[in-house]
Amino acid sequence: MRLSSLMISLVAFGVAAVGALLAARSLVTIVEERSVIAVQEALADANHGWASVIGDGLQIVMEGEAPSEAVRFRAMTVAGSMVDASRVIDNMSVTATAAIAPPNFAIEILRNDSGISLIGLIPASVDRDALVARVEALARGLPVADLLEVADYPEPELWAAAQDYSLDALQRLPRSKISVASGRVAVTAISDSAEHKARLEAELSRSIPEDVRVDLSISAPRPVITPYTTRFILDDDGPRFDACVADTPQSLDRIERAAAQLGPVSAAGCIEGLGAPSRRWGDAVVMGIDAVGKLGGGTITFSDTDVVLVAALQTPPAIFDEVVGELSNALPDVFALDATLPNPPNSAEEGPATFTATLSPEGQVQLRGRVADALMNQTLENFAHAQFGADVVTMGTRIVEDLPMGWSVRMLAAVDALSELSNGAVVVTPDIITVRGNTGSTGANGRISRLLIERLGEQAEFEIDVTYVEALDPIAGLPTPEECVDKILGLTSERKIIFDPGSATLTAESGALVDDIAEVLRRCADLKLEIAGYTDSQGRDSMNLDLSQQRANSVLAALRDRRVPVGSFEAIGYGEADPIADNGTEEGREANRRIEFRLITPEPIEEVTTGLEALEEDLAAEIEAEAEEATAEPEADGE
């Protein structure tokens, strides 16, 4: 019995011990879970969601990456406020603090007729005083606003090269905005003319430093022409313009078509420019050309609103009166017509007064003929020195009394006209000024005509026979966009731009070809070019499209690295489109993996006839029909 009682007691104690142990463990688990939840809620309320909480018995383990040491400490404080701080274990880390990055150094240079402004941030190593002094020298007395700031950080690579190039560009561009950064320069400017624009782009492209990226954007506004002059001649040599301007492309086209109806037009072509005295300039010029055609010959000159019509010799007076009357009534109100029917000359006097100015191909100038007095002779010589230089002018003039009225003005105008030629001669007589020679400028005829009219008046008689010689034109040496693309196609027909397999990385052997293409493009100003990338048909369409785009971008970047102005270029990937060979063979797939270069041409603009133009055409048709009826009625009476 004693043994049984003892066993029962032991079993009872064992059961009690196990129950106490289970109860203790359950209590610990409950305390642990409630502590973890409490700490998590407190951290969330304090915006410390980055921290995680793990229960380990009665201990609370904090983990996570704190943005800073202060934030980590605040998280520990929040956890210690919910449970005993001794129970909180810190296993958190702190985000490493990045080094302070240097600022972006950049300069904005603004230049106009009022002066130059420098705005931006430059490295402390740059000699600011020397930089400003260089800009002041370029300003030539105009104010320079120095708004630069300095930061003491290392000078970026290629900063000096970009800065020097920007100052070189500033010297050439009186109206410009130049943005300078490390290894990059962006130039936005306005040139005086299309020829000036092409010359500036060629000069600036040739001087780009190695590894510096330059974006050129130079615009050429329409020229302002004064006096606004058109001079049309119809004689035995056919129709021609000595000068021709128009205010709109539509007017220019109508003027050229009106002249072409009288025969093949030679000499100066029409140009578009600002300064027209009337919105109906094109209408007036077309009317004048038609009037010369009806007369069968003559000269009509428009100088702003003054119109001078000189009929050809032997023009019947009746026809002259009829045509002049029609033209006088048809011209817009702002234009004033002065018409002359010349009489045949009686007889030529022997030994007429003559002055001749010649310019040799070597640049030597000789003036010979008659002048009124010593003062005029000295004035003429000084004017020639100013135009050509004192070391190339030879005087062969002699003083003679009783010269025709206005002789001195005609001589100075002749020297001025000679300065527009590359070589040639200008002969002045009492009746006419004759200009003959060669020029390297396509607009020389028009400029000579305008300056003679401006100096001598609209009724001045002059003849211009100036030949444009492409070899004398400094701009003509630049290839046309079509010639540039043809040269590139010639290079790529023999060699091929190759990439590493499955990538957009150019192979080493392709570098020489890209060098040759860049050499061609650097001489091509204002070229709009598309760089098209193609692949073979292997692989997914989307993958091929992305790869072709990446390869076209790689070629564009390679050209930019070689100092080619690529601002007007476009890189486009076409994937496996437009195969040029069979993708079923290895040779065909190799041919289809290619880069093509082609011009970007603007879409043609359809000509739209306005309601006003249609009304004018209907009225003209009605007037013509009434005129035919009026002409036909007397014939019926006669029958």
Side-chain angles (χ1 to χ4, degrees), residues 174-516:
R175 293 175 296 278
S176 58
K177 172 188 173 184
I178 303 176
S179 302
V180 187
S182 176
R184 180 171 182 176
V185 179
V187 179
T188 304
I190 300 175
S191 62
D192 296 332
S193 63
E195 294 82 0
H196 188 214
K197 173 180 179 292
R199 185 166 61 253
L200 285 174
E201 288 178 334
E203 292 174 353
L204 292 174
S205 296
R206 285 194 293 267
S207 61
I208 295 176
E210 186 176 359
D211 297 329
V212 174
R213 176 183 174 184
V214 176
D215 295 327
L216 294 177
S217 178
I218 301 177
S219 59
R222 291 187 298 168
V224 178
I225 300 173
T226 179
Y228 212 73
T229 304
T230 293
R231 180 181 173 92
F232 177 76
I233 302 170
L234 178 62
D235 54 19
D236 295 339
D237 295 330
R240 66 182 184 276
F241 288 103
D242 276 348
C244 180
V245 295
D247 53 341
T248 65
Q250 293 78 14
S251 293
L252 187 147
D253 181 64
R254 293 179 59 204
I255 291 171
E256 290 183 337
R257 284 193 282 114
Q261 290 178 355
L262 302 178
V265 181
S266 60
C270 295
I271 61 173
E272 185 181 347
L274 302 175
S278 169
R279 293 182 179 179
R280 297 194 61 193
W281 171 266
D283 296 335
V285 174
V286 169
M287 294 175 189
I289 293 173
D290 291 342
V292 173
K294 293 176 182 178
L295 291 173
T299 301
I300 189 163
T301 303
F302 290 80
S303 179
D304 289 332
T305 58
D306 295 324
V307 185
V308 176
L309 172 62
V310 179
L313 292 174
Q314 310 301 331
T315 299
I319 295 178
F320 176 79
D321 292 340
E322 179 182 355
V323 172
V324 170
E326 292 177 354
L327 179 60
S328 178
N329 287 285
L331 283 173
D333 293 338
V334 70
F335 292 92
L337 174 64
D338 182 5
T340 302
L341 178 60
N343 296 319
N346 295 325
S347 61
E349 298 180 358
E350 294 184 1
T354 304
F355 170 80
T356 303
T358 60
L359 173 61
S360 71
E362 295 76 24
Q364 297 298 314
V365 177
Q366 186 178 48
L367 307 181
R368 60 183 186 276
R370 306 177 186 182
V371 295
D373 51 42
L375 177 60
M376 186 59 222
N377 195 56
Q378 186 62 50
T379 301
L380 180 66
E381 183 176 7
N382 292 340
F383 185 64
H385 288 173
Q387 292 283 25
F388 302 99
D391 55 337
V392 299
V393 177
T394 301
M395 299 294 294
T397 55
R398 62 189 182 94
I399 299 174
V400 177
E401 297 181 355
D402 299 327
L403 290 172
M405 183 177 297
W407 186 254
S408 299
V409 176
R410 293 167 72 84
M411 288 192 302
L412 293 175
V415 174
D416 208 357
L418 187 69
S419 66
E420 296 288 343
L421 305 179
S422 298
N423 58 77
V426 182
V427 179
V428 180
T429 65
D431 300 323
I432 191 170
I433 294 179
T434 304
V435 183
R436 291 187 174 88
N438 299 319
T439 178
S441 172
T442 55
N445 278 20
R447 290 194 296 272
I448 293 172
S449 182
R450 284 192 292 273
L451 75 86
L452 291 178
I453 291 173
E454 183 178 8
R455 303 285 193 279
L456 308 177
E458 292 80 8
Q459 305 215 19
E461 287 289 331
F462 54 86
E463 179 182 343
I464 301 174
D465 183 13
V466 174
T467 302
Y468 169 72
V469 180
E470 185 175 350
L472 301 175
D473 191 344
I475 305 301
L478 297 176
T480 64
E482 292 76 12
E483 291 173 341
C484 290
V485 173
D486 288 343
K487 290 181 179 179
I488 295 174
L489 294 179
L491 293 172
T492 55
S493 65
E494 301 174 356
R495 294 177 286 171
K496 186 176 180 180
I497 296 177
I498 304 173
F499 300 87
D500 289 339
S503 77
T505 303
L506 287 163
T507 60
E509 54 266 28
S510 295
L513 176 55
V514 177
D515 289 340
D516 293 341

Side-chain angles (χ1 to χ4, degrees), residues 535 537-548 574-576:
T535 66
S537 61
Q538 291 185 323
R540 297 191 306 274
D541 292 350
S542 59
M543 181 185 68
N544 288 334
L545 188 63
D546 291 342
L547 180 59
S548 64
Y574 292 96
E576 59 190 63

